[in-house]
Amino acid sequence: THPFASDRFVVVAAPNHPLANRRSVRFEEVMGLDFVGLDRASAEREGDAFDRHLADPATLYVAIAGEMAVMLPTAGAGHDAAIFLPAERLAGEAVSERVFLGRRADGAPVVGALLAVARGQELKDDPAYLVSDLRSVATHGLVPTDQIGTLAQAKSLLLWHARRRFCANCGARTEAAQAGQRRDCPGC
């Protein structure tokens, strides 16, 4: 057999990761490692796929309230928090934006949900939740490293939707499209 092509593969890892500070890593060594914790599932953003995800009881949510992540405290799991909330945790909550983030390795759909800043402050006092800014989540190791990107994606997309509701060209109100990955202007 002859190789079809060759390419350079670069591993960026935390200082305490087993592959950190190595000058050379074989591709076989990274197979099976979770570098990215979420399949973006871009093929599932069209048509009624997003509505199906919202109706699916297996769908998990990543909740953001302003600049804060709303998580579940964990005991004895090696980390202080879990970022994936079951749908029943958001039942009755006022969610202003929702975006499809992708699927976890176990196949569960993951949707980002934006809560009001005031609600995040209220949940800080509720021992059933752990509410923290993303910098603290990352620097204190509150969640597994492969979930930090999912939190950042949820926060950036949700806050983008909240802050960019009007077309920069014509000023018309834009609408979320492709399960929250895009905003479209009906006027342009």
Side-chain angles (χ1 to χ4, degrees):
T1 63
H2 298 287
F4 174 73
S6 72
D7 200 356
R8 184 172 175 217
F9 182 77
V10 177
V11 174
V12 178
N16 61 347
H17 192 278
L19 298 179
N21 300 318
R22 300 231 339 242
R23 295 194 52 77
S24 171
V25 176
R26 290 188 335 273
F27 190 72
E28 296 80 28
E29 292 178 88
V30 300
M31 298 301 290
L33 294 178
D34 288 332
F35 284 102
V36 177
L38 204 61
D39 172 4
R40 302 295 184 232
S42 60
E44 299 179 41
R45 296 182 187 151
E46 296 293 336
D48 65 347
F50 189 47
D51 292 333
R52 285 196 314 272
H53 294 315
L54 294 176
D56 185 346
T59 295
L60 298 170
Y61 290 83
V62 176
I64 302 292
E67 300 291 325
M68 311 294 266
V70 178
M71 304 166 289
L72 300 176
T74 57
H79 293 280
D80 294 336
I83 70 167
F84 300 109
L85 283 65
E88 59 265 14
R89 286 295 189 120
L90 292 181
E93 293 288 348
V95 176
S96 60
E97 299 287 346
R98 289 179 179 83
V99 295
F100 177 60
L101 300 172
R103 287 186 177 274
R104 289 193 334 176
D106 63 5
V110 179
V111 170
L114 184 62
L115 305 176
V117 174
R119 184 63 178 140
Q121 292 300 321
E122 292 169 4
L123 292 174
K124 269 185 146 179
D125 297 328
D126 185 337
Y129 293 92
L130 193 151
V131 179
S132 179
D133 66 282
L134 269 61
R135 181 180 301 270
S136 296
V137 170
T139 59
H140 297 299
L142 298 181
V143 302
T145 55
D146 66 333
Q147 295 179 6
I148 293 170
T150 302
L151 277 174
Q153 179 193 15
K155 178 184 171 189
S156 66
L157 273 173
L158 291 164
L159 293 182
W160 174 69
H161 280 288
R163 295 174 178 157
R164 306 290 185 262
R165 296 184 183 276
F166 297 93
C167 177
N169 292 324
C170 71
R173 187 171 190 80
T174 56
E175 301 167 355
Q178 282 207 327
Q181 301 295 315
R182 188 176 79 205
R183 291 197 75 82
D184 289 347
C185 174
C188 291

